[in-house]
Every structure is written in structure tokens, then in C-alpha cells.
Amino acid sequence: GYGPFPKDSLWHYLSLADAANHGQSMHDSMLVESGACIARIQLGQVPDSLQEDRAGDCRSVAVGMTRRFPHDPDSWVALGVAGWELRDLIDVPAELGTPSGMFDSALTKDPGYGLAYAPALMVAGISRNFPALRQLTIAFRDFTPPFHPPERFGGNIQLVAQLLDPDADTIVTNQLLDTLSSCVVESVAYDRFLLVFVDSAESTIQIGRALNARPDLRCLFTHGNFALRYLGAQLIQRGHLVEAYTVVRDSHAGWFPTVFPELAIYGGVPPEIADSVFQDWLASDGSSGLDWVAWWWAQRGDTASIKQYISRRADNKNRVSSAFLALARRDTATALAEFAVADQHGMTMHYWPLVHARLLIATGKDREAREAIRWSPPGIGWLTLTHGFWSLERARVAERLGETEQAVRDYQDVMDVWLHADESLQGYVEESREALERLAS
């Protein structure tokens, strides 16, 4: 859904600018109108029934600007922003390309147009297009517009570019991690794109170790257990279960609450320890990690704990928990029915659609399974081990359905994420490698 955004958001100020949009040049007037049009939708000022029509108006303004000012980078940035921000409501004419292509057009017309870098980096990062992210970041670093300080994107742009450059000297990277302040390293660590960056050098794990080794009270996320949990989350996503458990143990509050539950679910914690920890959490009701424990209880057939958890919920997780209660009773039919009607709104970053998909696959319903996991795996807002399993299951389904491009993307994702994972996960890496060879033949 759209809106509401805080009153100090970019969209709020764009809506204010629209009220004063008079006496401007045609170029400037159209630019303000384009931004304000998107802002009204983002701020929730447009009724749901009219959103598609208003989004179409926004597209028309931006397209009109590219046709009136085809050589101006502002035009292409405006169209790229409209295409990206309103992508669920509109389609941009195919001949004009994708949002990332529009930002590229702006930078081709003016490589020094610093304002195009931020949205281009955002789209590349959220789309997990790491080659593009590398290219853009390195170009931004080398260009360093005077109105953008070097620490503008995700912290220190020098460190970001160094981490994203596949040919970077690891000695230089380590020197930067050792010499830059913990606060700068922290800002890079929590950049929403680098947070889920996957490379063969496992750079984000290097960042996590640097943060954990140098706590600094001046930086919020480098002291207490914050740095510890960041490192644990990075380790778990990359499949280092043994090390992740030695790092985080049963830490669960605050950021990355899923690490310990996932370690338990996937066999990284002795069962008796996991049972004890989860009962403590349930008794105190003080852990956000509890939202992930229903899966563990279902695997164990522990209906009593799931019932106790359900009794404390009054939101849309009730349907999901009821599905896990059915699974704990080995009642697959009821579990499928509960998953089918569960509200996915705001839950796309949870693991349960994967469980739903696996049940559908087991009953021969590959197309329904594909729909259950067609969105990005968990890990956009935080890091999860489930990311790799989600990609693997989606790849298997896509291959069976003959959707080769999707299968290749997801098998490659498994390869990339778990390249250096524990031995317990290497069978999945080998499966993906063999699948890629098979699909390429």
C-alpha cells in the first residue's frame, strides 16, 4: 500500500512545492508536477479506487517531459522515478525502457548529474543487480560531485566502492575497515543495499567482524549486542551455521530476531537447548523471534506451545499460526486451507510462504506454489537463512514449469549465497551447479 509517509519526507515537501508551482519555466513546472503527482499517491491522498488512474496521469506527465525535453537528464530521472515508485499501478511504454535504463539515460546525457545516482543505486540495490550497483558506485566515487560529500551513499563511498569492486585489493579493503571510524563502517553495514550484498569474498561478514571488534559508544549499532547480531545475521545468510551459533547463542531481542530460530529449524542448535530457549521466550513473551518459532513447534508436533502463542495474537498472524497448528497435528489439508486465506499484506518478509509452497509442491500443485513464493525471499529488510531455501525451491518449481530464465536466476542465487557455506548446505550448492549445467545444455 501507499502512505502515510512522515511529514518530513521527500514526498511531503514535493506536495508542498506543487502548491507554489506557478510562474516557472515549462521544464521546471513539469518537473514539480511530476514529483507532486507521485507524492499525492505516496502520501495516501488518493482513494484506492482512483490510484491507477492517477498513476496513469503521473506517467503521462513524465512521458510528456521526455518528449518535450528528450536531451535533459531531469526528464529521464522523472520518468524513472515514476516508473519505479508506481510500478505496482502502471506500466511504462516498452520503447522507453525500464526505470534503471531511464536513470542510465540520464547519466549518459550528463555523467556529472549527481541527482541521478541515488535513484539508480536504489533500483540496482533493491533489484539485487550487483554488477550495476558496482558500476554505479565506482562511477559515483570517481566522479564525487562537489555537492555530494564522499559519505553520501551508504556511508563512506570509498569503502562502498571498494567492497563492490570484484577486482579490489583485499589488503586495501582490510586497511579501510581497520582505519575508518566505527561509525563510518556502521553506516556502510546498515545500508539497505549492502545489507544483503552477496559476493564471493563475503564482504559483509568482514564488515560484521570489524564492527564486533571495535565497539564505539558514539555509534548506536557498534556496541552492546548490536554488532554481534549483525555478524550473526550475515553468517546465517551465507550458510555458516556453526559459527553463527557460536556468535549469537540465544540472543534474540532487537535487530535480526530470526537468527536463533532459523538455526534451530535448520539443525544448527541442539534440540534440547532450542526447546528450553523457546519456552523461556514464550513465558516472557518478550521476543520478536517468537514469530518464527511456530515452524519449530510444528516440526516437533508441539501443539500446546502453538496454542499458547496463538492465544496472545490478535493480528493477521493468527491464520498463519493456525496453519502451523494444523501441521503440528499432521493435518496437511487444514494447513493448506489456512495458508490459502492468510493475509500476506506486510508479511512478505516472513518465512511461511515457503512452508506453504512446499505443501503445495508435495500435493503436485507447482503453479500454486510458484505464486506463493513469487516475491523476493526474506532478507530484503533483514538477513535470513531461509533466503537460500526460498531461492532453491523457486528454482526447482521454475525448472519443472519450463521457466528457464527464472530457474537460472534462482539456482545462481543459491550458488552465490552459499558458495562457502557449511558442509551441511553444500549438497544444495552442488544441486544448483548441476541444474545450471543442465539448463545451459
Side-chain angles (χ1 to χ4, degrees):
Y2 293 87
F5 281 77
K7 289 188 176 181
D8 61 349
S9 70
L10 169 65
W11 304 119
H12 175 70
Y13 290 114
L14 280 171
S15 68
L16 294 179
D18 187 45
N21 188 18
H22 48 79
Q24 310 293 324
S25 67
M26 177 64 71
H27 169 277
D28 291 353
S29 179
M30 292 183 76
L31 187 62
V32 171
E33 183 182 356
S34 175
C37 184
I38 301 170
R40 283 190 286 272
I41 297 174
Q42 296 284 20
L43 292 170
Q45 296 174 358
V46 177
D48 291 348
S49 60
L50 297 177
Q51 284 189 355
E52 288 190 8
D53 289 343
R54 294 296 175 266
D57 295 340
C58 300
R59 174 185 55 200
S60 297
V61 173
V63 170
M65 192 172 179
T66 61
R67 290 174 177 163
R68 184 178 288 268
F69 306 102
H71 303 296
D72 182 73
D74 281 333
S75 303
W76 295 98
V77 169
L79 183 58
V81 170
W84 177 257
E85 295 293 345
L86 304 178
R87 61 192 180 279
D88 294 334
L89 299 173
I90 60 170
D91 293 318
V92 175
E95 68 271 15
L96 293 176
T98 63
S100 60
M102 295 164 197
F103 299 134
D104 288 344
S105 293
L107 290 169
T108 298
K109 291 169 174 52
D110 183 359
Y113 187 57
L115 293 178
Y117 282 98
L121 288 163
M122 176 188 68
V123 171
I126 292 176
S127 303
R128 297 181 66 83
N129 185 349
F130 291 117
L133 193 60
R134 290 186 185 103
Q135 182 179 3
L136 285 163
T137 306
I138 292 168
F140 192 24
R141 175 197 61 187
D142 294 343
F143 173 64
T144 55
F147 51 87
H148 277 277
E151 297 174 2
R152 175 65 175 171
F153 169 61
N156 187 295
I157 194 67
Q158 184 181 8
L159 177 56
V160 174
Q162 186 74 16
L163 292 169
L164 291 174
D165 186 352
D167 300 318
D169 188 330
T170 55
I171 295 176
V172 175
T173 303
N174 290 333
Q175 287 175 339
L176 281 172
L177 288 170
D178 289 340
T179 57
L180 288 171
S181 75
S182 294
C183 295
V184 169
V185 176
E186 171 196 271
S187 67
V188 172
Y190 282 92
D191 184 279
R192 62 175 169 166
F193 312 136
L194 287 180
L195 191 63
V196 292
F197 175 55
V198 172
D199 66 335
S200 59
E202 298 187 329
S203 297
T204 52
I205 292 179
Q206 295 180 53
I207 293 175
R209 291 190 173 118
L211 284 177
N212 201 40
R214 292 189 289 134
D216 188 330
L217 292 176
R218 296 171 298 175
C219 323
L220 177 60
F221 299 120
T222 65
H223 56 87
N225 284 327
F226 286 114
L228 195 70
R229 294 186 197 113
Y230 175 92
L231 176 57
Q234 291 294 349
L235 287 166
I236 195 174
Q237 187 189 26
R238 302 307 297 270
H240 301 291
L241 279 63
V242 174
E243 185 179 355
Y245 181 50
T246 64
V247 167
V248 300
R249 292 296 173 177
D250 62 349
S251 177
H252 62 273
W255 294 94
F256 312 122
T258 64
V259 175
F260 185 81
E262 282 193 291
L263 284 172
I265 288 163
Y266 293 110
V269 178
E272 63 278 7
I273 293 177
D275 270 329
S276 175
V277 169
F278 295 147
Q279 288 305 313
D280 287 344
W281 291 5
L282 190 59
S284 65
D285 197 28
S287 170
S288 53
L290 271 176
D291 290 343
W292 283 65
V293 181
W295 193 358
W296 165 264
W297 288 322
Q299 289 177 343
R300 311 278 286 174
D302 185 352
T303 57
S305 294
I306 298 177
K307 287 180 179 178
Q308 186 177 348
Y309 174 67
I310 290 175
S311 69
R312 299 178 179 180
R313 308 300 313 196
D315 55 20
N316 62 1
K317 296 187 181 73
N318 261 332
R319 284 289 192 179
V320 177
S321 301
S322 296
F324 281 108
L325 180 59
L327 282 180
R329 292 170 172 158
R330 307 300 181 250
D331 182 355
T332 302
T334 300
L336 278 169
E338 290 291 343
F339 277 135
V341 298
D343 180 8
Q344 292 200 36
H345 180 66
M347 304 266 301
T348 55
M349 303 183 44
H350 281 57
Y351 62 90
W352 64 265
L354 175 61
V355 183
H356 183 200
R358 285 176 170 170
L359 291 177
L360 290 167
I361 291 166
T363 55
K365 299 177 180 178
D366 278 348
R367 294 191 182 279
E368 290 90 336
R370 177 190 59 188
E371 288 304 301
I373 51 174
R374 67 191 178 96
W375 305 110
S376 297
I380 300 303
W382 69 83
L383 309 169
T384 70
L385 179 61
T386 298
H387 175 112
F389 286 105
W390 186 297
S391 295
L392 179 63
E393 211 65 77
R394 193 166 59 180
R396 291 167 172 169
V397 169
E399 183 178 6
R400 288 196 296 271
L401 293 175
E403 298 171 353
T404 303
E405 289 186 11
Q406 181 69 56
V408 167
R409 282 196 298 271
D410 283 323
Y411 279 129
Q412 188 62 56
D413 191 43
V414 175
M415 291 271 294
D416 293 342
V417 171
W418 287 344
L419 180 63
H420 302 301
D422 291 354
E423 186 62 32
S424 62
L425 299 174
Q426 285 303 316
Y428 302 118
V429 176
E430 184 59 30
E431 176 189 343
S432 299
R433 182 181 292 108
E434 292 174 356
L436 289 171
E437 292 174 356
R438 181 171 61 249
L439 293 169
S441 62

